[in-house]
């Protein structure tokens, strides 16, 4: 297995995920180099949870973990349990790759050489502005 996880890998998986009507997948912005950044939504509960991954392009583990969560949420339960309750009580929002430019090169920073994690105040990168905009519009509980 490789640690590298690029947008083309994510696109392939999101294409398969679109088959499941419980998931809403939509483009919400572009990276500095014009790569699409997606928002994935599932659930219909009042509690809103926002998760994002690969803010640093060379940190793909969380993206792979989110994909594991997607697979878990897609599984059917024989009897209503945690999964059913979670999706009834929460709406989960995911940005599964915030820095596709950095992911392509397997580097921490984005194409502007900005560490998106350190750009929360100045918002110089389109990726940081997008994350803040989504957080502000969703106003998640977690």
């Amino acid at each position: 297995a490789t640690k590298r996880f690029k947008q083309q890998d994510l696109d392939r998986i999101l294409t398969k995920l679109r088959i499941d009507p419980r998931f809403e997948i939509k483009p919400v912005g572009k990276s500095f180099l014009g790569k699409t950044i997606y928002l994935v939504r599932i659930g219909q509960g009042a509690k809103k949870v926002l998760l994002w991954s690969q803010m640093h392009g060379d940190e793909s583990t969380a993206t792979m973990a989110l994909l594991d969560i997607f697979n878990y949420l897609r599984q059917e339960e024989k009897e209503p349990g945690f999964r059913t309750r979670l999706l009834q009580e929460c709406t989960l929002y995911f940005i599964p790759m915030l820095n596709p430019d950095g992911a392509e090169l397997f580097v921490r920073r984005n194409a502007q050489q900005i560490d998106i994690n350190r750009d929360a105040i100045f918002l110089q990168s389109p990726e940081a502005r997008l994350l803040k905009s989504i957080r502000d519009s969703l106003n998640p509980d977690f």
Side-chain angles (χ1 to χ4, degrees):
T2 179
K3 290 182 184 179
R4 290 184 180 240
F5 195 84
K6 299 179 182 183
Q7 187 174 29
Q8 64 191 22
D9 302 313
L10 178 64
D11 288 346
R12 182 177 36 80
I13 290 166
L14 291 182
T15 296
K16 292 177 183 174
L17 192 62
R18 281 185 169 93
I19 296 167
D20 189 326
R22 295 173 295 176
F23 286 89
E24 177 187 322
I25 301 164
K26 66 181 185 178
V28 289
K30 299 275 186 185
S31 69
F32 183 75
L33 294 179
K35 290 182 175 63
T36 302
I37 299 172
Y38 296 96
L39 183 68
V40 177
R41 176 183 180 262
I42 187 171
Q44 56 272 3
K47 290 184 182 126
K48 293 183 280 187
V49 180
L50 174 62
L51 303 102
W52 66 91
S53 68
Q54 224 157 346
M55 177 178 269
H56 300 135
D58 60 351
E59 295 178 356
S60 56
T61 306
T63 302
M64 293 180 210
L66 291 183
L67 300 177
D68 285 341
I69 291 171
F70 296 163
N71 285 332
Y72 171 76
L73 293 173
R74 289 183 72 199
Q75 295 173 9
E76 295 297 325
E77 290 181 306
K78 291 184 178 154
E79 296 179 24
F82 174 76
R83 221 173 326 218
T84 300
R85 206 169 57 255
L86 175 68
L87 297 177
Q88 286 173 345
E89 295 178 12
C90 299
T91 301
L92 308 175
Y93 297 89
F94 304 88
I95 303 172
M97 184 180 288
L98 185 63
N99 183 4
D101 299 340
E104 185 68 28
L105 299 172
F106 201 66
V107 296
R108 180 181 179 91
R109 297 170 184 265
N110 75 349
Q112 296 170 279
Q113 298 305 308
I114 294 174
D115 183 334
I116 300 168
N117 191 46
R118 308 259 187 258
D119 193 27
I121 303 268
F122 296 111
L123 300 173
Q124 296 174 308
S125 69
E127 299 91 350
R129 287 191 300 270
L130 177 63
L131 179 60
K132 183 180 184 320
S133 170
I134 290 171
R135 195 256 323 169
D136 290 350
S137 67
L138 293 177
N139 191 25
D141 298 292
F142 299 96

